[in-house]
Amino acid sequence: MAIRVLGGQVSFPLSERVLGDDYLAGLDDRSLGDLRAMRAECEQAEVAISFARRVLQGHLDIVASELRRRAAGGTADAASLHDLVERLPQILADEPGRSGPSGRPVDLDPDIPVGEVLAVIDAAVGGAGALTDLERQAPADVEALAERLRTLERDLSGTRRSLHERIDLLKTEVAARYERGEITIEGLLG
């Protein structure tokens, strides 16, 4: 699975394909097997996008923590780096009310190259060193990094929403066929 940055956005070829204008063309003529395969592809793309989004949110949480430290009058020194490392578990923990996992187990597809996702996200936000030495970066640079992260997170969230819309549409098509009597329960379960 090739992952790349296009215009500052993380791009997964599978999500590009399933979000293409022609992907849903001719649904009425597709077999139940085709619909299931299409839904599985959309779900696979959603898992990849969701994983990248969660990684990105972790980056954003770290940068936001640095901005809060600065706003509270913290200074850049070895102690601030040590403090950041000590606080990482609470920084990266899910906060109540924040949109997070749906509670459903998420099995990462073994084809998702985690290292490549991390490298592409780093490239999209300014390089692998974007999160290193945060305490030494100028305030404007940290703010700019936060904005790049927020923009990329919004883009990934939009892609994820579009994938969910496709998944829902495919599920609706299968349900409609069942309601019209075109398939049976055995056909749905088979």
Side-chain angles (χ1 to χ4, degrees):
M1 172 187 293
I3 303 169
R4 59 193 176 279
V5 177
L6 296 174
Q9 296 182 7
V10 176
S11 173
F12 293 83
L14 180 58
S15 62
E16 288 174 21
R17 190 170 73 71
V18 301
L19 291 173
D21 291 337
D22 61 339
Y23 188 75
L24 296 176
L27 277 186
D28 294 340
D29 299 328
R30 305 267 180 133
S31 70
L32 180 60
D34 287 347
L35 295 175
R36 285 183 171 154
M38 292 169 73
R39 185 183 68 212
E41 283 182 319
C42 290
E43 289 170 345
Q44 181 183 8
E46 191 277 335
V47 167
I49 292 292
S50 290
F51 173 74
R53 185 173 162 261
R54 295 292 288 172
V55 169
L56 191 64
Q57 286 172 333
H59 284 43
L60 188 53
D61 289 345
I62 291 168
V63 172
S65 177
E66 172 62 14
L67 291 171
R68 284 191 302 275
R69 183 192 67 78
R70 288 175 182 214
T75 60
D77 56 20
S80 64
L81 177 59
H82 176 74
D83 179 56
L84 172 66
V85 171
E86 291 290 318
R87 290 182 301 116
L88 276 176
Q90 76 187 70
I91 291 170
L92 298 176
D94 283 335
E95 299 171 12
R98 184 170 112 178
S99 65
S102 63
R104 66 178 168 84
V106 175
D107 293 327
L108 284 182
D109 185 319
D111 293 334
I112 297 174
V114 174
E116 191 176 342
V117 170
L118 295 173
V120 168
I121 288 173
D122 284 343
V125 297
L131 292 182
T132 60
D133 295 328
L134 273 178
E135 72 278 355
R136 293 188 187 134
Q137 292 181 28
D141 293 338
V142 178
E143 288 287 350
L145 174 59
E147 185 53 35
R148 286 193 306 274
L149 289 166
R150 284 189 290 268
T151 299
L152 187 52
E153 195 277 334
R154 280 190 301 270
D155 292 341
L156 286 175
S157 291
T159 299
R160 187 170 173 260
R161 275 189 301 279
S162 296
L163 288 165
H164 278 278
E165 289 169 4
R166 298 267 165 137
I167 292 166
D168 290 344
L169 184 71
L170 290 162
K171 287 179 180 178
T172 299
E173 176 62 23
V174 170
R177 288 182 185 192
Y178 171 72
E179 288 175 5
R180 291 189 304 259
E182 294 175 24
I183 54 176
T184 63
I185 288 289
E186 293 80 23
L188 278 174
L189 299 176

